[in-house]
Amino acid sequence: MLIDSHVNLHAPQFDEDRQAVIDRARAAGVERMITICDRVSSFEAVQAIAAAHPDIWCTVGTHPHEAKENPQLDAEMLQALAARDKVVGIGETGLDYHYDFSPRDVQRTVFQVHIDAARQTGLPLVVHTRDADDDMIQMLEDAQSKGNFKLLLHCYTSGAELARRAAALGAWFSVSGIATFKAADEVRAVIRDMPADRIIVETDCPYLAPMPMRGRRNEPAFISHVLAKLAEVRGWSLKEAEARTGDAFFDLFDRIPRP
């Protein structure tokens, strides 16, 4: 089956045709989707989409860009929201020092709250990281030393060293349309060394449309292009890539029933 592990269906880019986007995904063979919470204030809209569709689940959390919105966020609040129907992950959260839309100290504080919530709920942590490799690995290694939790480094484009050390912590990785971009040789090189049983795929729609759709609004229906590139990079058949990423997805998001 085709699975899109990271969509942003509540985004305003889908306001005019959200149901049509979902219908096109299903027509393209996409059987599972996780729609991602980018800020706690968006959670009601995100969770409503998941609750309305049998093949869509969701997360709860605050993206590092939005950390400044709620610097007093605590793990108890996230735990309470995570108990709601169809919630299968904590995040998207993490560190983004490329844009610094939120102060770095606030990003780190809010990220730690999400780590604590992931450990307490048993839900996987969906991590965004950009230009923050040193702080990211330090926080993850410190956190794992205090108790294991599942984590996913989504849309991975960071360095090989962070990937290696995160893999040693048991991290999963998701591959996005960036892997199809002509200039993404370094990203593809890291993908070749990711643990074969812990790779999944995503669109991160409406962003990062894969080739040959680049320049268009991204949709879950385009996930097949990401899967095909992953298969090429890893030397897998398309059928093998689909089976491997499907198994990895259900191992990570174990609250989603296998078909």
Side-chain angles (χ1 to χ4, degrees), residues 103-119:
R104 293 184 179 184
D105 60 332
V106 174
Q107 290 188 50
R108 289 189 290 269
T109 297
V110 173
F111 182 36
Q112 184 62 53
V113 166
H114 286 74
I115 291 172
D116 295 341
R119 184 184 295 112

Side-chain angles (χ1 to χ4, degrees), residues 2-253:
L2 292 176
I3 298 170
D4 193 341
S5 66
H6 198 109
V7 300
N8 299 281
L9 291 174
H10 73 294
Q13 292 93 327
F14 296 126
D15 283 351
E16 298 300 319
D17 63 345
R18 186 169 289 109
Q19 186 58 52
V21 168
I22 294 170
D23 291 343
R24 283 194 290 272
R26 291 168 176 160
V30 180
E31 297 185 35
R32 299 287 188 277
M33 290 174 268
I34 300 179
T35 192
I36 302 296
C37 188
D38 62 339
R39 62 180 83 186
V40 170
S41 61
S42 299
F43 175 70
E44 294 296 336
V46 172
Q47 197 260 344
I49 293 170
H53 298 279
D55 50 357
I56 301 176
W57 284 260
C58 70
T59 65
V60 59
T62 292
H63 192 287
H65 289 344
E66 315 298 342
K68 62 184 180 294
E69 177 186 85
N70 193 354
Q72 304 306 316
L73 182 67
D74 58 49
E76 289 70 26
M77 177 184 292
L78 288 174
Q79 287 181 71
L81 295 174
R84 298 269 292 273
D85 187 42
K86 304 294 288 285
V87 180
V88 296
I90 302 294
E92 164 183 5
T93 182
L95 304 174
D96 193 310
Y97 293 172
H98 182 78
Y99 288 109
D100 282 330
F101 287 157
S102 289
R104 293 184 179 184
D105 60 332
V106 174
Q107 290 188 50
R108 289 189 290 269
T109 297
V110 173
F111 182 36
Q112 184 62 53
V113 166
H114 286 74
I115 291 172
D116 295 341
R119 184 184 295 112
Q120 292 160 11
T121 62
L123 293 175
L125 186 72
V126 180
V127 177
H128 169 106
T129 181
R130 187 170 185 187
D131 293 350
D133 288 19
D134 290 344
D135 282 358
M136 176 58 65
I137 196 58
Q138 179 179 344
M139 290 189 70
L140 291 178
E141 289 178 343
D142 287 350
Q144 287 281 16
S145 72
K146 298 170 184 173
N148 291 337
F149 58 94
K150 288 183 172 182
L151 68 131
L152 167 68
L153 298 184
H154 105 92
C155 189
Y156 193 79
T157 59
S158 293
E161 177 67 8
L162 173 57
R164 182 187 65 79
R165 291 169 68 176
L169 297 176
W172 278 253
F173 299 84
S174 66
V175 173
S176 73
I178 291 174
T180 72
F181 297 175
K182 184 176 180 180
D185 287 339
E186 292 183 4
V187 171
R188 288 186 285 273
V190 173
I191 291 170
R192 290 187 187 99
D193 289 332
M194 288 176 178
D197 60 343
R198 284 181 267 138
I199 304 175
I200 61 177
V201 289
E202 65 169 277
T203 58
D204 201 10
C205 64
Y207 318 106
L208 305 176
M211 297 295 291
M213 307 298 184
R214 193 172 184 187
R216 296 172 55 179
R217 180 190 67 174
N218 202 3
E219 296 188 9
F222 302 163
I223 192 65
S224 59
H225 299 291
V226 180
L227 186 70
K229 178 55 69 171
L230 173 62
E232 176 189 318
V233 170
R234 293 294 304 224
W236 298 337
S237 69
L238 198 56
K239 184 177 181 180
E240 181 183 6
E242 191 172 329
R244 284 183 177 276
T245 56
D247 285 343
F249 174 86
F250 289 111
D251 287 345
L252 175 61
F253 294 104

